[in-house]
Amino acid sequence: MSGGPAVQISIESSAEKQIQEVGLDGSETYVQPLSMSQNLARLAQRIDFGQDSDEEGTGEGITPRENDWGDQEEEEEEGECGGLVKFQPSLWPWDSVRNHLRGTLTEMCVLYDVLTVVKDKRYMHLDPVSQESLTPKQSQHGLLLVSKRKSLLGAAQILLKGGERLSKSVAENQENKRQRDFNSELLRLRQHWKLRKLGDKILGDLSYRSAGSLFPHQGTFEVIKNTDIDLDKKIPEDYCPLDVQIPSDLEGSAYLKVSIQKQSSDIGDLGTVNLFKRPLPKAKPGTPHWQTKLEAAQNVLLCKEIFAQLSREAVQIKSQIPHIVVKNQIISQSFPGLQLSISFCHSTNDKKSQKLSSDKMNPEDHLYVLEHNLHQLIREFHKQTLSNIVMPHPASAPFGHKRMRLAGPQAFDKTELNTLQQSEGLLEKIIKQAKHVFLRSRAARTIDSLASKIEDPQIQAHWSSINDVYESSVKVLITSQGYEQICKSIQLQLNIGVDQIRVVHRDGRVITLSHQEQELQDFLLSQMSQHQVLAVQQLAKVMGWHVLSFSNHVGLGPVESIGNASSITVASPNGDYTVSVRNGPESGTKVMVQFPRCQSKELPKSDVLQDTKWNYLRGPYKEVQWNKMEGRHFVYKMELLMAALTPC
């Protein structure tokens, strides 16, 4: 066997599949055999295209091709000589494939380099050649300028691109911050207003029906998406993706003007109200614009409801002097010569209403307190309406006042039933409140005018800070400066009601005055006159003088048109001098002093009265020139007079 020729034997793998994995249950997972394409790819991966054929032949112990070619030529020569030709086989079966692929790769790389040079112009740049020959120095300077220019242009382009990117990023951040989502804004709207969806529309409710209102106006507004803004431009700060659309009759601002004015002689003057545009309240920072818009529309709706209720009651109520409803104005006579005017003023944003409102802007006669009370009264009416519906009703008797349920068993007559069923309406309550407000302002004006005109005695008014809508109280003190601790006799409590004023004295006496201003003024003047006499009485007690007589209503002397005159007579401690004071609201003060008989030089000497005891009798009275007396006021002058007449 060893001496025979070598035989090549090909050994193939067994046809059995290789086992990839054996499971825990004994199942075997086989490796799928390779297809022909996969086998060809596996063989091609083994080829090293980067290694030369010479290196391969040398490394494997095979002679180089040149040597092979040389040997082949020698063998051919020998064969020719010997008459035999031998065939030289290929060294490697994949050698031709490798050579073709390598040539293709080289051509593709060359094509890629050519395209890169033509397109990017980074590796080669073509400049026109000037015909004039340049010196070497000029050419060097030109090259330096061109290179610097290119470098500066490249740096400028990089900076410009970076600046554009930064500006775009800043603009995107600002848009993301300012642009709010429509759904989130709609959620904020639902937190404050009642909304419902009707088809493709979102509707809201402005009315007070849920609070007990019976006004027939729907008060519906629509929520729409704000598409007026251009997103390409800069978004303003107050941009909101949500907007509301309210009815045209609820746009603008409205208020109820309540004023007390003199009665107009011509009925044609009614209904012409001096409108002035009330500025809208300033919105809180951060409040969306739709909130301010809806609040203004709801205020217009509430003012309309109040005016409609007042107009209905003005027509239904039967009074001695009928109420007048003309256009947007209600007239009611509160006092003789005075009338209460309630006007509904509604101004929209159009130019006509702005011109009318800018003509006359005189809000001085507007009573804001009564306007606020009207809003409170309508809310109380809503609460009563709601409570009557919600509260449980008795099963065996009608729900109402207890006396109404007893009307049948106790056999009430028609008069008693009418008194039980009587309930004041909105108009009657506001008329009573207006009367009280006017009477209170008139009383305050009267007291202030007397305090400013009359300096002696002083009048002080202390108004109570806690009052009722139908009654107020004020405490009036009449004092003299510097003698407040002595002169505390005049303290009055004025209870100002709707039609009259009740005066409560310090001793508990009660005097009722009407709404006339003159009555209150005359009463205060008479009390100030009595204060002077009472001050003399208190001063006499302090200084040790004796009060001989005192009267608040003197029947002698001139008759006073305002009240009555008061008088007092006091004597000195030793009885030598007597001072008589008479004070009247109109006649003023008159002071008389009676001296001892011995000091009177005017009396003639009598031959009948020879005894000295008759000299102790007092002589005639002498009037004191009160205007020439020194002193700040009446009580101070009386103190000086008594001190001068008091013996040491």
Side-chain angles (χ1 to χ4, degrees):
M1 294 296 293
S2 61
V7 179
Q8 295 181 356
I9 300 174
S10 61
I11 300 175
E12 297 181 357
S13 60
S14 61
E16 295 182 358
K17 300 179 180 180
Q18 295 181 0
I19 298 174
Q20 181 180 4
E21 183 182 0
V22 179
L24 298 177
D25 55 351
S27 60
E28 297 178 353
T29 304
Y30 297 98
V31 178
Q32 296 295 330
L34 299 176
S35 62
M36 294 183 65
S37 60
Q38 292 176 351
N39 192 14
L40 178 61
R42 184 173 63 84
L43 293 174
Q45 288 178 358
R46 298 180 179 180
I47 301 174
D48 187 5
F49 294 99
Q51 186 177 6
D52 296 335
S53 60
D54 298 338
E55 295 176 359
E56 293 176 357
T58 309
E60 295 176 0
I62 301 174
T63 59
R65 290 184 180 182
E66 296 178 357
N67 299 334
D68 293 344
W69 292 344
D71 296 340
Q72 186 177 2
E73 290 177 357
E74 293 177 357
E75 289 177 358
E76 287 178 356
E77 291 177 357
E78 292 176 357
E80 290 175 358
C81 297
L84 296 174
V85 179
K86 295 182 180 180
F87 176 76
Q88 180 67 26
S90 178
L91 298 178
W92 192 36
W94 295 94
D95 193 14
S96 61
V97 177
R98 194 265 309 271
N99 293 334
H100 287 297
L101 291 176
R102 186 177 182 84
T104 305
L105 177 63
T106 304
E107 292 178 0
M108 291 298 294
C109 291
V110 171
L111 178 62
Y112 176 76
D113 293 340
V114 171
L115 293 176
T116 303
V117 169
V118 172
K119 183 180 179 181
D120 292 347
K121 297 180 181 180
R122 290 188 298 174
Y123 305 99
M124 182 173 63
H125 185 74
L126 300 178
D127 290 331
V129 179
S130 61
Q131 297 179 0
E132 298 178 358
S133 61
L134 299 176
T135 60
K137 292 183 178 180
Q138 292 179 352
S139 62
Q140 290 179 0
H141 290 305
L143 292 174
L144 288 174
L145 290 175
V146 170
S147 62
K148 288 182 179 179
R149 180 184 176 188
K150 289 182 179 179
S151 61
L152 290 175
L153 286 175
Q157 289 179 357
I158 293 172
L159 291 175
L160 288 175
K161 289 181 180 179
E164 289 178 358
R165 291 179 181 177
L166 288 175
S167 61
K168 287 182 180 179
S169 63
V170 171
E172 289 177 359
N173 293 333
Q174 290 180 354
E175 289 178 3
N176 293 333
K177 289 181 180 179
R178 293 175 182 174
Q179 187 175 3
R180 294 184 293 270
D181 190 19
F182 175 78
N183 295 328
S184 62
E185 199 70 19
L186 185 62
L187 181 62
R188 292 181 62 189
L189 182 63
R190 287 188 61 188
Q191 294 176 356
H192 297 85
W193 302 93
K194 186 185 294 184
L195 300 178
R196 59 187 176 91
K197 190 172 183 181
L198 183 62
D200 297 337
K201 298 181 179 180
I202 301 176
L203 303 179
D205 189 11
L206 286 172
S207 65
Y208 286 88
R209 284 191 295 270
S210 59
S213 174
L214 303 177
F215 194 55
H217 197 285
Q218 295 296 329
T220 305
F221 67 93
E222 183 180 357
V223 181
I224 58 178
K225 195 170 184 179
N226 190 5
T227 57
D228 298 338
I229 191 168
D230 190 3
L231 297 178
D232 296 336
K233 298 180 180 179
K234 186 177 180 181
I235 300 176
E237 295 182 357
D238 56 348
Y239 169 71
C240 182
L242 183 143
D243 198 3
V244 291
Q245 188 174 3
I246 60 177
S248 58
D249 57 340
L250 298 182
E251 293 181 352
S253 61
Y255 66 97
L256 292 171
K257 181 180 179 181
V258 185
S259 60
I260 300 175
Q261 50 192 329
K262 294 183 179 180
Q263 189 173 2
S264 60
S265 58
D266 188 5
I267 195 172
D269 298 337
L270 301 178
T272 57
V273 186
N274 297 335
L275 302 181
F276 65 95
K277 187 177 181 181
R278 176 180 294 182
L280 294 175
K282 294 183 179 179
K284 298 179 180 179
T287 304
H289 74 282
W290 48 260
Q291 181 71 16
T292 308
K293 192 175 181 180
L294 292 177
E295 287 178 357
Q298 193 176 40
N299 181 48
V300 174
L301 181 62
L302 183 62
C303 292
K304 282 191 172 185
E305 180 181 358
I306 295 173
F307 189 77
Q309 179 72 16
L310 293 174
S311 303
R312 183 166 53 252
E313 292 181 3
V315 176
Q316 294 176 357
I317 293 175
K318 296 180 180 179
S319 60
Q320 296 179 355
I321 302 176
H323 307 291
I324 302 173
V325 181
V326 180
K327 297 180 181 179
N328 62 335
Q329 190 176 11
I330 301 174
I331 303 297
S332 176
Q333 186 173 358
S334 55
F335 291 115
L338 296 174
Q339 60 185 13
L340 173 67
S341 172
I342 303 175
S343 307
F344 173 67
C345 304
H346 185 197
S347 61
T348 55
N349 296 327
D350 54 353
K351 295 181 179 179
K352 293 182 179 180
S353 63
Q354 289 180 1
K355 288 181 180 179
L356 292 175
S357 62
S358 60
D359 292 340
K360 294 182 179 180
M361 299 180 65
N362 185 20
E364 295 179 357
D365 56 345
H366 178 47
L367 299 176
Y368 294 93
V369 177
L370 295 181
E371 181 190 3
H372 176 70
N373 292 347
L374 276 175
H375 287 268
Q376 283 188 337
L377 290 174
I378 196 66
R379 283 179 170 83
E380 290 178 1
F381 178 75
H382 291 168
K383 186 178 180 181
Q384 292 176 2
T385 306
L386 190 64
S387 62
N388 292 336
I389 297 174
V390 176
M391 291 182 65
H393 295 265
S396 59
F399 187 75
H401 199 272
K402 181 179 179 181
R403 294 188 63 188
M404 289 293 294
R405 296 197 294 269
L406 298 176
Q410 295 185 3
F412 283 3
D413 56 2
K414 184 178 180 180
T415 306
E416 293 177 348
L417 289 175
N418 290 333
T419 56
L420 292 177
Q421 293 179 355
Q422 285 180 357
S423 60
E424 292 183 347
L426 197 65
L427 182 61
E428 293 179 348
K429 291 181 179 179
I430 199 63
I431 288 175
K432 291 175 66 176
Q433 293 182 14
K435 286 183 177 181
H436 170 67
V437 169
F438 176 75
L439 193 58
R440 183 180 59 189
S441 62
R442 176 182 281 182
R445 185 172 62 251
T446 303
I447 295 173
D448 292 342
S449 63
L450 289 177
S452 60
K453 291 179 182 178
I454 303 175
E455 298 180 356
D456 182 29
Q458 293 180 347
I459 182 170
Q460 301 174 4
H462 300 276
W463 291 88
S464 177
S465 59
I466 302 176
N467 298 319
D468 188 47
V469 291
Y470 301 122
E471 187 174 0
S472 300
S473 62
V474 56
K475 188 175 183 181
V476 179
L477 302 178
I478 302 176
T479 59
S480 297
Q481 184 180 3
Y483 297 87
E484 289 83 0
Q485 297 297 327
I486 301 175
C487 308
K488 293 183 179 180
S489 55
I490 303 297
Q491 294 182 5
L492 305 174
Q493 181 76 24
L494 302 182
N495 296 327
I496 304 171
V498 177
D499 296 323
Q500 59 186 5
I501 300 175
R502 295 176 66 252
V503 182
V504 181
H505 285 265
R506 188 177 182 181
D507 55 359
R509 291 178 298 145
V510 179
I511 299 175
T512 303
L513 303 177
S514 67
H515 63 275
Q516 295 293 337
E517 183 179 5
Q518 192 64 35
E519 288 190 17
L520 179 61
Q521 184 176 357
D522 295 346
F523 174 76
L524 292 177
L525 287 175
S526 63
Q527 292 297 314
M528 294 170 75
S529 175
Q530 292 182 9
H531 166 77
Q532 305 287 42
V533 178
L534 292 173
V536 174
Q537 182 182 7
Q538 298 296 329
L539 185 62
K541 292 180 180 179
V542 172
M543 298 186 67
W545 284 56
H546 306 288
V547 179
L548 301 181
S549 64
F550 174 80
S551 177
N552 280 330
H553 307 285
V554 180
L556 301 176
V559 179
E560 302 286 340
S561 61
I562 301 174
N564 295 321
S566 304
S567 66
I568 186 173
T569 304
V570 294
S572 60
N574 58 0
D576 293 340
Y577 301 94
T578 304
V579 178
S580 179
V581 181
R582 186 181 188 276
N583 198 333
E586 283 187 345
S587 60
T589 305
K590 187 177 182 180
V591 181
M592 307 288 290
V593 178
Q594 188 180 21
F595 293 91
R597 196 177 186 88
C598 59
Q599 296 182 6
S600 178
K601 300 180 181 180
E602 298 178 357
L603 291 177
K605 295 182 179 180
S606 176
D607 298 335
V608 179
L609 302 176
Q610 297 293 334
D611 196 354
T612 57
K613 64 181 180 179
W614 300 107
N615 293 330
Y616 294 101
L617 294 175
R618 300 187 188 94
Y621 282 93
K622 292 184 179 180
E623 185 177 356
V624 180
Q625 295 181 1
W626 200 248
N627 297 330
K628 297 182 179 181
M629 282 284 295
E630 295 182 358
R632 292 172 295 178
H633 48 77
F634 173 78
V635 181
Y636 185 66
K637 292 179 181 180
M638 285 299 302
E639 184 181 4
L640 293 179
L641 180 61
M642 290 182 180
L645 298 178
T646 302
C648 299

